[in-house]
Amino acid sequence: MQGKGFIKFIAIVLAIVCAYALSFTLVASKVEKDAKNYAKGDAAKEKAYLDSMSTEKVYPLVGFTYGEVKSKEINLGLDLKGGMNVTMEISLAELVKSLAGNPTDANFNKAVQNAQIQLNAGGKDYIKIFVDEFEKLSPGVKLADYFSNQDNASQLKPSASNGEVESFLEKEATSAIDRSFTVLRSRIDGFGVVSPNMQKQEGSNRILIEMPGVQDKERIAKLLQGSAELQFWQVYQVQEVAPLLENINKTLAATLKTETPAATTDTAAKAGGKLAGLENAAKDSTAKGGKLAGLGKKDSTAVRAELAKSNPLYAVLSLPIYQGENGQQQLMPGAVVGMSLQKDTAKVNNYLKLPEVAAAIPSTMKFMWSVKPREGSKVFELYAIKVTSADGKPDLGGEAISDSRADFDQKGKPEVTMYMTSEGAAKWKKITAEAAADPNNKKSIAIVLDNMVYSAPTVQNEIGGGVSSITGNFTQADTKDLSNILKAGKLPAPARIAGSYIVGPTLGAQAIHDGLISFVIAFIVILIFMALYYHRAGWVANFALLVNLFFIIGILVSLGAVLTLPGIAGIVLTIGLSVDANILIFERVREELALGKNIPTAIKEGFKHAMPSILDANITVFILGAILYAFGSGPVQGFATTLCIGILSSLFAAVLISRLVFEAMLDRKMEISFDNQFTRNAFKNLAFNFVGRRKIYYIISTVIILAGIGMYFKHGGLNLGVDFKGGRTYLVHFDKAVNTEDIKSQLTPVFGNETPEVKTAGENSQVKITTTFHIEDQDVKTDKVVEDALNKGLAGSKYEIVSSQKVTPIIASDIVNGAFYAVLISCIFMFIYIVVRFKKWQYGLGAVLALAHDVLMVLSFYTILDGVLPFSLEIGQDFIAAILTVMGYTMTETVVVFDRIREKLKEAGKEDLHGEERNQLINFALNSTLSRTILTSLTVFFVLLVIFIFGGDSIRGFIFALLIGRVIGTYSSLCISTPIVIDLGSSEEKKK
């Protein structure tokens, strides 16, 4: 085997990378286990422990903190972990109207309305649709008449063509989505979500947000849908505020007396952790010539407790102090008036709200926190905002900003350039003049969004002309974020929740437990089967399979991919591909051994002859994965990511790693066997007449599909989930068995006489309730209105809402269209590949027709069995992942048969055969690959069957689709796809 050294090198490097990526999960788990042991069931103590360890270095040698380790661990999707998934839609209609100055022109507003209707119906590019609609309604009218106004004059001339206006609007739409992303991210970070996952959905005006552990729907809705409020405030200097803080501290000491602030007493010391965040901040401060008050070498529990009693405010808030030249501690000049660990900020806020304290704070002062902690810590800075107007409004609002850009100064350092409107520039000149009036004490102006301080730059001089540069210790990412923040208040582009999915922690934990148990059992079943059937060679395949799984998980984690149910479907498929590759090789080796060749030669020839089939099968499925990734979204894209990574890993592990193991065994003169006395003659001398019976198979498939069509009309269509039709779904668990018809009659009146869909979900005490009640209403309070109606209808029963899902019609239509086009385009590309590879269009068309046959068969079984089986057969996004898996299996098996036909034609020195000769050849190819087809199908079927039995109710319908798809795929590859080639070839001969 050539290149053994290089393959070993790649394997070692890949193993190190994967082990490193997975190690973060192990380290995080150890810290969390320590927290549980320490807390002994007390959730508050457990959280306090983890907070205290957040900035503590917990990773040996490398020195990563717990916070950094946590962000790099295996990222589980909400269907496995629990939490809230929200799809935010940025209102481009509002943006367009705002950019045009909210005109009253009827045709303009009609074009905006029509464009939104088309977008809701599945359109893609809102701006293009709007321009087309406007030109239809107002032919000859220039869009520049609306958009080339005072605010946009620098970017758009009055003479601009409609095409130039369209480009301008596209650019502004992209910018609006970018800055909305920045604002939403900062709000989520401020909410305190652990490892939120945010993604801009390319090519759309949507942002996907996953928030593990979040259950408060109403609070999240208000948080995400509130309009961004950008403000500019003058601020007090620390010297002006320090006496007030001292007075507050004394007031608190007298008021609280013996009360001890929980944030700083015994948690860190008892747990063995440290208040690492403030220590890091202290080091940062010391590096600048100072240190923080209240912290020294004495860090014992007793000292902390005593400090908390005598100085309650300073126990949770440190003043910025440095050591002067005279050796005395002095206040560090600037706008920062205090610093606290993140976990202590709530305590500080509560102190400041106490009536005794609030009475001492002047009406011209209010406190705000920095939006981000100091770099490398969890220390947040406190600012004292100066209220200068009688109505309490800021000195300047976001409407004053006309543009903002991330830029570089003359020295090449990142900065932000801010442009004001003419009115804003005049106010800005006055404010900056006041801040820079004292050359020895230049003051700062705070840039505030949603009551959080993003930056508080010191004003160096009066700024006229409306163009300002904001400099500081910025990275390029910082300047981009700040630029987006400054533009966030410029024009309204409201963000609305277009879809949401909430999984309760119980369901999430149960899904993880059931999924892991079932997956482990299924994996063991495969290992046992391979070892029993192929004897010693089976253990080589098992080793390659374990290596493959290790590589797949490691690569997914290192890339930061989110593991979901569709992702697990992708892993199941790649396990099948890995087993399939080994089975192909082993069956070819057994054929060579049957011809009397010795073990080394048989292994060499087996790998050689199996490689074309392995490559063709994996390339066709990789094409499927790549197309799905490019054109799919959400779960389809997650499935495709896992599939593509798994294919590459499977090829490396199943082919190259297993070959290395065999080479090592041969070098050591070890005995290698590919069968045992029970499997030696399995599948020998088979001669099934697949081609001759093809019309029987056509009739069977036709009958099943027609039955499915009949049940489709009987049921009034497919049993679509909210993913595909829009609406809200609630999974409700009752304390005893319930009647679905009773629940339906109870809910109909409270849902505005709209009859909801109520189905049993797994057991008689659990139901899935689906309704379109108020689904078009975009008001922030609508979710609560619907849930209140649900609670009212279920009043009198003991129940728990385990999970809920909301999908607006526009999201539903996008999911349907995205899935359809992804499947269609992947079929076209696979057709082209097979035609090029096998040089016959009949092969390509036969394979694609087999795929269409499989999809129709799975849908038919779903409609026939819907309501018969004791679990839901709802067609949602997970079902799409199941269909894609079935397509992958069918294509793999079909290509393997085609490869055997091509091989035999090459041996005969012919390009094609005709008539009975062709029939015999195809029958031979099907029978000679039958062992591989049956064995691969059985191994995957065993995996799915175990997951189906032990995997829990939440994934049972999904796994059922894979199960019947696996059976149909095997049947299709043997009885439909290849025999079709016969009939396609016959029709061509008749034409000739």
Side-chain angles (χ1 to χ4, degrees), residues 818-897:
F820 174 77
Y821 287 118
V823 171
L824 179 63
I825 294 169
S826 62
C827 285
I828 292 171
F829 271 82
M830 284 190 286
F831 170 79
I832 294 170
Y833 175 80
I834 291 174
V835 170
V836 171
R837 192 76 174 89
F838 295 96
K839 299 182 175 63
K840 294 287 288 184
W841 65 266
Q842 289 90 342
Y843 289 112
L845 187 55
V848 171
L849 287 175
L851 293 181
H853 163 271
D854 293 356
V855 173
L856 287 174
M857 288 284 279
V858 174
L859 286 170
S860 296
F861 273 108
Y862 254 56
T863 54
I864 293 168
L865 298 175
D866 185 29
V868 176
L869 297 177
F871 50 86
S872 174
L873 289 181
E874 190 175 84
I875 295 176
Q877 296 188 67
D878 289 344
F879 176 81
I880 292 298
I883 286 289
L884 299 175
T885 309
V886 172
M887 289 174 62
Y889 282 136
T890 300
M891 186 57 67
T892 301
E893 293 177 349
T894 301
V895 167
V896 168
V897 177

Side-chain angles (χ1 to χ4, degrees), residues 736-863:
K736 58 183 179 180
V738 292
N739 185 292
T740 55
E741 290 301 319
D742 290 344
I743 293 176
K744 190 183 295 185
S745 62
Q746 290 172 227
L747 292 175
T748 299
V750 297
F751 283 159
N753 290 323
E754 176 198 297
T755 304
E757 186 180 274
V758 183
K759 293 184 177 180
T760 301
E763 50 190 89
N764 292 332
S765 60
Q766 190 163 275
V767 298
K768 184 176 282 188
I769 300 168
T770 303
T771 177
T772 55
F773 182 53
H774 279 320
I775 192 60
E776 299 280 3
D777 194 340
Q778 297 291 339
D779 191 273
V780 178
K781 299 177 181 178
T782 304
D783 288 342
K784 189 172 187 308
V785 169
V786 177
E787 192 163 322
D788 286 346
L790 175 68
N791 289 324
K792 183 179 178 182
L794 298 179
S797 303
K798 288 185 179 180
Y799 63 92
E800 176 192 2
I801 299 176
V802 180
S803 69
S804 65
Q805 183 178 10
K806 169 192 171 185
V807 179
T808 58
I810 182 173
I811 296 289
S813 65
D814 274 7
I815 291 171
V816 174
N817 292 338
F820 174 77
Y821 287 118
V823 171
L824 179 63
I825 294 169
S826 62
C827 285
I828 292 171
F829 271 82
M830 284 190 286
F831 170 79
I832 294 170
Y833 175 80
I834 291 174
V835 170
V836 171
R837 192 76 174 89
F838 295 96
K839 299 182 175 63
K840 294 287 288 184
W841 65 266
Q842 289 90 342
Y843 289 112
L845 187 55
V848 171
L849 287 175
L851 293 181
H853 163 271
D854 293 356
V855 173
L856 287 174
M857 288 284 279
V858 174
L859 286 170
S860 296
F861 273 108
Y862 254 56
T863 54

Side-chain angles (χ1 to χ4, degrees), residues 19 110 134 192 231 266 352 391 403 414 473 483 564 566 589 669 672-673 726 744 814 851 860 873 928:
K110 184 66 176 174
F134 178 83
Q231 302 169 335
D266 66 339
L352 296 177
D391 58 5
D403 197 13
N473 189 23
S483 174
T564 61
V589 171
K669 309 295 183 183
I672 304 175
S673 55
K744 190 183 295 185
D814 274 7
L851 293 181
S860 296
L873 289 181
S928 62

